[in-house]
Amino acid sequence: MRGTTGFNRILASIAIIATVLVVLVSGVLLAENAGHHCDCQEHCPVCSLILQCEQNIKTIGSGLIAVATVIFVAHAMTELVTAFEYQSVQTTLVSQKVRLDS
């Protein structure tokens, strides 16, 4: 079980790095091609690249809002649960000091 947690952490780290790289590369490509003007937008590879980069940033941006909301709710729930003090309410004959030699 301990090995799977390490593997899951590695996968999560790779996913975060990939997401950051996609956003950075898309932003750089949009900045480099900001002054691009062409007449035929249907067959222009630069226009399709710009459109794809815009879609990447929009998709990841809306996904980050959902992830931030889930993290906030999970953090609030863990704070709420850890605020309670749990006490054992199990009673046994020994804890009640009942004599068993009748």
Side-chain angles (χ1 to χ4, degrees):
M1 174 127 173
R2 188 171 191 116
T4 58
T5 11
F7 183 70
N8 288 341
R9 286 183 183 178
I10 291 171
L11 283 179
S13 299
I14 290 171
I16 289 171
I17 290 170
T19 304
V20 168
L21 285 176
V22 165
V23 170
L24 289 176
V25 169
S26 294
V28 167
L29 287 174
L30 283 174
E32 286 181 2
N33 297 316
H36 175 72
H37 299 288
C38 68
D39 297 328
C40 181
Q41 291 185 358
E42 295 178 7
H43 301 292
C44 179
V46 176
C47 290
S48 65
L49 180 68
I50 290 173
L51 182 64
Q52 183 64 40
C53 289
E54 289 174 350
Q55 290 296 329
N56 287 342
I57 291 176
K58 286 179 186 176
T59 303
I60 291 173
S62 62
L64 289 178
I65 292 171
V67 168
T69 304
V70 168
I71 289 173
F72 175 74
V73 169
H75 179 69
M77 292 301 290
T78 55
E79 289 292 322
L80 182 67
V81 168
T82 56
F84 291 116
E85 292 183 16
Y86 296 105
Q87 296 178 353
S88 177
V89 291
Q90 297 175 353
T91 57
T92 62
L93 294 176
V94 174
S95 67
Q96 294 178 356
K97 297 188 185 208
V98 174
R99 288 187 63 149
L100 299 175
D101 60 344
S102 43

